[in-house]
Amino acid sequence: RTLHGRSEVVTISYYSAALKSTLESAISEGKILVVTETDDNLISEDSRFKDLIAKSADFLVKQDPIKIFVSEKEVVGAPGFKLYIVCQRKPTNHVLISNTRLLNLTPTLEGFTEFFLQHFLAIEKNRLQEDQKKFGQEVSEYMKSSSESEAEILKCLAESRETLLSDT
């Protein structure tokens, strides 16, 4: 799946055995990772996420690759990486909440879906407004061209000494 036409969106449960490897590949490949069924207290103490949470602001401000540790392994973060966490309940962990520039803590999967839908609609609204503006400009140009062509035809007809019905 894609979002903004650029990155693959990967969804995985927090309790999945493949979470660590999926997290590493999403970070290094610049993918969007959605971790579902998360407990904010567990994830804030999880060695796979600790360094990522601490360096979350770096993903927003730095253009260069960012080195972070996932457990004991160093991973180079590619531009475009985003992490979304779907919590099982309203988050209360202050350490995690204070570092949510990169993390979007959404209480339910429905809330997460609503978040993405609102984000998508905002992007599409801007794109449609731009398309509408371009279309209006094109119509205006065609109308002007049509008026100029019509004036040219009328001028030729007015200057013509022969009638339209005459044989040539």
Side-chain angles (χ1 to χ4, degrees):
R1 293 179 285 183
T2 61
L3 181 66
H4 307 298
R6 63 158 183 82
S7 293
E8 185 177 340
V9 178
V10 179
T11 304
I12 191 165
S13 169
Y14 177 74
Y15 299 101
S16 171
L19 178 61
K20 182 178 184 264
S21 61
T22 303
L23 178 61
E24 290 170 356
S25 67
I27 292 169
S28 64
E29 296 171 17
K31 295 180 180 179
I32 297 171
L33 178 64
V34 180
V35 180
T36 61
E37 304 173 287
T38 308
D39 181 300
D40 61 315
N41 290 314
L42 290 177
I43 202 168
S44 66
E45 296 301 319
D46 191 323
S47 63
R48 297 172 292 187
F49 291 90
K50 264 190 164 183
D51 198 39
L52 176 61
I53 292 167
K55 294 181 179 177
S56 63
D58 292 346
F59 279 92
L60 296 175
V61 295
K62 292 186 177 179
Q63 297 299 320
D64 299 329
I66 300 162
K67 293 180 181 179
I68 61 170
F69 284 93
V70 177
S71 294
E72 303 276 324
K73 183 178 179 183
E74 184 177 64
V75 179
V76 177
F81 170 71
K82 298 228 184 290
L83 173 65
Y84 293 94
I85 298 176
V86 181
C87 292
Q88 296 173 332
R89 59 180 169 71
K90 185 176 180 179
T92 58
N93 185 293
H94 298 291
V95 173
L96 191 60
I97 292 172
S98 66
N99 288 294
T100 57
R101 287 177 224 90
L102 174 64
L103 308 174
N104 178 36
L105 300 170
T106 308
T108 63
L109 190 54
E110 291 79 21
F112 178 73
T113 303
E114 181 66 25
F115 167 78
F116 261 130
L117 182 60
Q118 292 297 328
H119 189 67
F120 172 77
L121 290 175
I123 292 169
E124 282 300 299
K125 181 180 178 184
N126 290 338
R127 188 188 63 79
L128 289 173
Q129 287 173 339
E130 289 174 14
D131 288 350
Q132 184 180 20
K133 184 178 178 180
K134 287 178 187 175
F135 179 70
Q137 290 171 342
E138 287 176 9
V139 167
S140 178
E141 290 172 13
Y142 291 136
M143 294 291 285
K144 182 180 177 183
S145 175
S146 175
S147 295
E148 290 171 356
S149 297
E150 182 182 4
E152 183 75 25
I153 291 170
L154 290 174
K155 180 182 175 188
C156 288
L157 287 174
E159 292 175 355
S160 176
R161 296 190 179 200
E162 297 183 25
T163 63
L164 291 175
L165 298 176
S166 65
D167 290 334
T168 53

